[in-house]
């Protein structure tokens, strides 16, 4: 998925979704995968705000 093509609102919803997926992760690797994706989304949101 190309996060740069998403709207700010879509990025916020994606970040919430990734957070819930991270909470329900069953192992460390799965948790880390969602944490990394969430970090990318957060960085993109920060870049757009500045």
């Amino acid at each position: 998925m190309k996060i740069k093509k998403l709207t700010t609102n879509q990025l916020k919803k994606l970040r919430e979704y990734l957070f819930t997926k991270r909470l329900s992760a069953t192992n460390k690797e799965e948790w880390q995968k969602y944490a990394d994706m969430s970090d990318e989304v957060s960085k993109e949101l920060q870049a757009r705000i500045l």
Side-chain angles (χ1 to χ4, degrees), residues 8 24 39 46:
T8 303
S24 64
D39 287 347
Q46 282 295 327

Side-chain angles (χ1 to χ4, degrees), residues 5-34:
K5 292 185 176 184
L6 298 176
T7 66
T8 303
N9 196 32
Q10 288 173 320
L11 286 171
K12 288 178 183 178
K13 288 181 190 238
L14 178 59
R15 187 174 57 177
E16 289 175 20
Y17 170 78
L18 291 170
F19 179 74
T20 58
K21 292 295 283 183
R22 194 171 22 166
L23 290 177
S24 64
T26 56
N27 59 48
K28 184 180 178 182
E29 291 79 20
E30 187 180 8
W31 185 92
Q32 189 62 51
K33 178 178 81 170
Y34 290 121

